[in-house]
Amino acid sequence: MKNYQLFLLSLLSGILLWLSWNPNGFSFMIFFAFVPLFFISDFLLQKESRVPLWKGIIYSYPAFLLWNVATTWWIWNSTPPGSIAAFVLNALFMSMVFGLWHWTRKQNMPIIAQPIALIAFWMSWEYLHLHWDLTWPWLNIGNVFSPCTRYVQWYEFTGTFGGTLWVFGANFFLYYIVKTIKSGKKVIWYKMALFFGWVLIPLVISVFMYRSHKDHMKEINPVEAVIVQQNTDPWEEQYSLTNVDHTVRILQLAVPAITEKTQLLVCSESAIPHTISAAALLQKNYPVETYNYYGFALLDSLVDQYPRLNIIAGLSTFDMYDHKATETAKDRGDGYFMDMHNTSICYNKNGCTELYYKSRLVPGVEKMPFPKVFGFLENLVIDLGGPSGSLGVDTTQRAFHTTILNGTCKVGAPICYESVYGELFAGFVKDGAQLMTVITNDAWWGNTPGYKQHFLFSKLRAIETRRTILRAANTGISGVIDECGDVVQKSHYNERTVIKQTVYPNDEITFYVKHGDYIARIAMALAALSLIFGTWLWIKRKMLKIKQ
């Protein structure tokens, strides 16, 4: 096989990965998307190629670059430099995982250990990608099933890492079947049985789980909620309008839908975008001369009229210190330091009672990765019109206490792409959240697949936590998603509208909420063992060559 044929095989894998991805792909195509890459590895092994790590990286890179660009090209609309970095680096990291696996195969690792090694390496990479400063887990494999959540109800036990295991297992079973056919041997029936059993048994289990959960969903303590999609243009309007203008726009949409029974009003990320003091907000001690705070007088009038109403909304806030209290606090030059935050708040008749600072920030947009190394580049963090430089973060995921008709209800309010992080999202539920909101501003990406993909990921979070999700987007898709991941209501892109829905709190804790990404942590241990074993085999080979 010639080099160009290997690159074509790699591109075939990239095309299959792209065609399987949401929102318009067919998810189950991913069950054979990695098979061409496995055969590339086979050929390189037969060729006895040197530097197997680099060969694995070079020949798999086209697949992963094509997949990244074709699936997430829309990042360009908000940040061209950041999009190029995301495409190039994300594809490189994926190909490094494949290259490392190919290297272990080169050391004559036993056949039974080879799929375990790749699955462990890939899961370890996905887990790292959820937690380090260059985090961008948009293409974590388990996310592929977000359009068809009826078939992954078992995510309440495994999270998306269960989906990663399912996908790679299916690819390996199919690879061994095709390899048997290529060798001219008859396909042994048990290989086919293993493949179809691996694919179909989880599907059947999921369908039964779906029906059972639908039949037993509790409709206790109803909460009437109103979601506002204010449809503010982030480029032309967001920072040219005042905070009062934004508040007026929200109320013009919300007030006609609010009744005496309405208990939640959910607004988007950056619903009131001009930066205000977190301390002034919590203490209700607004600087008289500062126009940015006047909109809260309008909110006070609303909650005076509807005393059971709780408003959840996104703001830009700051904290002031007389010393460098945090790593992200910036010296103002007047003896004070300032931290900027992307914030969600709970506002009711008592004012702003609680707030949460976004803790998983977008690299290059809200945070400079590895600040101890690249801190001198802090001022080059991409400016989208709001606070510049790295933002401050919260130390925990806390749920807001809201008063409802029948007592209290705790509500989680993660911000924007925090809804991509299963374990982080579950942290709000661990803190007692019985309902979840997602507040976001997907308008930066324009009318692209980005906002659709982002909405679909919330369906997975609903299953993992078994919580109803109220999603408020500036524009994009706002909506209501039930505990089974079904969309109850949703809006359209570029639409100024409200959604009204009665939802029901749930206080049951799923296995995934309790244990988080335990599958990934097991995979990390297996990855370490695979790497140690591969290194030992490499040393053994070298020693044999020396003796010869």
Side-chain angles (χ1 to χ4, degrees):
M1 191 177 293
K2 297 180 180 179
N3 285 342
Y4 81 89
Q5 292 173 311
L6 293 177
F7 282 116
L8 287 176
L9 265 182
S10 184
L11 291 173
L12 173 61
S13 204
I15 291 169
L16 291 172
L17 287 164
W18 166 54
L19 292 176
S20 67
W21 212 256
N22 54 66
N24 300 316
F26 179 61
S27 300
F28 294 99
M29 289 183 73
I30 205 167
F31 283 146
F32 50 87
F34 288 93
V35 173
L37 293 177
F38 297 164
F39 280 107
I40 289 174
S41 178
D42 278 353
F43 176 79
L44 293 175
L45 290 176
Q46 294 166 9
K47 196 178 177 182
E48 292 292 331
S49 60
R50 296 181 178 181
V51 290
L53 174 65
W54 292 110
K55 289 286 186 179
I57 292 172
I58 290 168
Y59 285 104
S60 64
Y61 190 76
F64 298 129
L65 183 62
L66 174 60
W67 179 28
N68 275 267
V69 173
T71 308
T72 61
W73 59 266
W74 43 265
I75 309 172
W76 181 275
N77 286 5
S78 61
T79 164
S83 67
I84 294 171
F87 302 150
V88 173
L89 291 177
N90 213 42
L92 176 62
F93 297 141
M94 290 175 173
S95 62
M96 287 174 67
V97 172
F98 185 83
L100 182 61
W101 175 67
H102 178 67
W103 176 83
T104 60
R105 293 189 80 196
K106 179 72 173 179
Q107 314 315 316
N108 295 322
M109 180 173 280
I111 290 177
I112 194 170
Q114 292 178 17
I116 294 173
L118 179 57
I119 294 169
F121 289 153
W122 193 278
M123 284 191 180
S124 298
W125 145 246
E126 288 192 343
Y127 188 75
L128 171 67
H129 219 16
L130 288 165
H131 293 90
W132 70 332
D133 279 6
L134 291 176
T135 179
W136 177 242
W138 206 267
L139 296 184
N140 280 12
I141 297 296
N143 292 337
V144 73
F145 299 111
S146 57
C148 47
T149 46
R150 187 170 299 194
Y151 303 113
V152 288
Q153 294 293 307
W154 37 269
Y155 273 20
E156 73 165 273
F157 297 102
T158 69
T160 57
F161 283 98
T164 302
L165 178 61
W166 194 31
V167 166
F168 273 105
N171 273 271
F172 271 109
F173 282 129
L174 188 58
Y175 158 70
Y176 289 126
I177 291 170
V178 175
K179 195 172 180 179
T180 302
I181 295 172
K182 281 187 66 180
S183 66
K185 298 177 182 178
K186 291 184 178 179
V187 178
I188 302 174
W189 66 268
Y190 78 83
K191 290 185 179 180
M192 298 293 292
L194 284 172
F195 172 72
F196 285 108
W198 181 266
V199 171
L200 294 177
I201 289 173
L203 290 175
V204 173
I205 290 172
S206 186
V207 170
F208 277 106
M209 288 180 66
Y210 175 83
R211 292 176 179 173
S212 175
H213 199 86
K214 277 288 188 182
D215 291 341
H216 296 94
M217 279 198 295
K218 298 176 181 177
E219 295 188 352
I220 304 172
N221 296 330
V223 175
E224 185 177 282
V226 171
I227 300 168
V228 173
Q229 180 167 297
Q230 64 198 77
N231 199 36
T232 299
D233 187 308
W235 305 103
E236 301 295 332
E237 294 183 302
Q238 183 159 318
Y239 295 103
S240 61
L241 297 178
T242 67
N243 279 354
V244 174
D245 294 331
H246 287 287
T247 307
V248 168
R249 179 173 290 182
I250 290 168
L251 295 182
Q252 285 175 339
L253 290 164
V255 169
I258 294 174
T259 69
E260 293 291 339
K261 294 182 179 180
T262 306
Q263 296 143 75
L264 279 179
L265 171 61
V266 187
C267 308
S268 71
E269 176 190 20
S270 303
I272 303 174
H274 293 283
T275 307
I276 58 179
S277 164
L281 193 59
L282 289 169
Q283 297 163 14
K284 213 170 185 179
N285 181 25
Y286 307 141
V288 176
E289 72 282 359
T290 309
Y291 194 64
N292 279 352
Y293 298 84
Y294 289 1
F296 291 100
L298 299 176
L299 296 183
D300 288 336
S301 298
L302 181 66
V303 294
D304 285 344
Q305 185 178 355
Y306 300 101
R308 292 192 179 95
L309 185 65
N310 301 271
I311 303 168
I312 292 175
L315 310 178
S316 176
T317 65
F318 68 87
D319 282 317
M320 295 283 291
Y321 319 105
D322 59 4
H323 63 289
K324 190 172 176 59
T326 67
E327 189 178 72
T328 53
K330 298 166 189 66
D331 190 347
R332 295 194 347 155
D334 60 357
Y336 289 93
F337 293 79
M338 177 184 289
D339 244 339
M340 312 291 283
H341 305 281
N342 190 343
T343 309
S344 59
I345 66 164
C346 180
Y347 199 94
N348 55 33
K349 63 182 180 181
N350 298 314
C352 179
T353 57
E354 295 171 287
L355 49 79
Y356 164 75
Y357 300 143
K358 185 179 181 182
S359 58
R360 199 58 52 89
L361 303 176
V362 181
V365 176
E366 297 174 317
K367 178 177 183 176
M368 174 57 67
F370 307 111
K372 290 182 180 178
V373 178
F374 300 112
F376 67 97
L377 297 174
E378 181 71 22
N379 292 332
L380 297 182
V381 169
I382 298 163
D383 183 4
L384 292 183
S388 60
S390 295
L391 304 185
V393 297
D394 226 319
T395 55
T396 188
Q397 285 69 56
R398 61 177 61 85
F400 298 148
H401 296 77
T402 65
T403 301
I404 60 174
L405 295 177
N406 298 311
T408 60
C409 176
K410 294 192 75 175
V411 181
I415 302 167
C416 191
Y417 97 142
E418 287 188 316
S419 60
V420 184
Y421 297 80
E423 200 168 45
L424 181 146
F425 194 90
F428 292 95
V429 178
K430 276 188 171 181
D431 192 52
Q434 299 157 285
L435 289 172
M436 290 296 296
T437 67
V438 172
I439 63 172
T440 185
N441 185 2
D442 297 343
W444 295 107
W445 308 332
N447 190 2
T448 68
Y451 75 88
K452 299 175 185 177
Q453 293 167 357
H454 195 198
F455 176 79
L456 290 170
F457 293 153
S458 290
K459 288 158 58 71
L460 301 177
R461 304 291 85 80
I463 294 170
E464 290 168 346
T465 60
R466 294 302 183 189
R467 293 295 184 271
T468 297
I469 297 175
L470 304 165
R471 191 176 193 274
N474 172 29
T475 195
I477 305 178
S478 301
V480 179
I481 301 169
D482 73 13
E483 297 169 15
C484 289
D486 287 341
V487 178
V488 181
Q489 282 197 71
K490 68 177 183 177
S491 65
H492 299 289
Y493 185 82
N494 201 27
E495 179 183 25
R496 189 165 293 163
T497 188
V498 294
I499 291 173
K500 188 173 183 177
Q501 183 71 36
T502 297
V503 295
Y504 301 92
N506 181 19
D507 55 11
E508 295 178 4
I509 300 297
T510 65
F511 188 89
Y512 177 75
V513 169
K514 284 182 183 178
H515 302 286
D517 293 324
Y518 64 95
I519 293 178
R521 287 186 276 275
I522 294 171
M524 290 179 71
L526 290 174
L529 291 174
S530 297
L531 194 56
I532 291 168
F533 185 41
T535 304
W536 178 77
L537 290 173
W538 177 78
I539 293 171
K540 185 178 177 182
R541 289 179 66 209
K542 292 294 182 182
M543 295 297 292
L544 286 173
K545 284 184 178 180
I546 292 171
K547 288 180 180 179
Q548 292 172 356

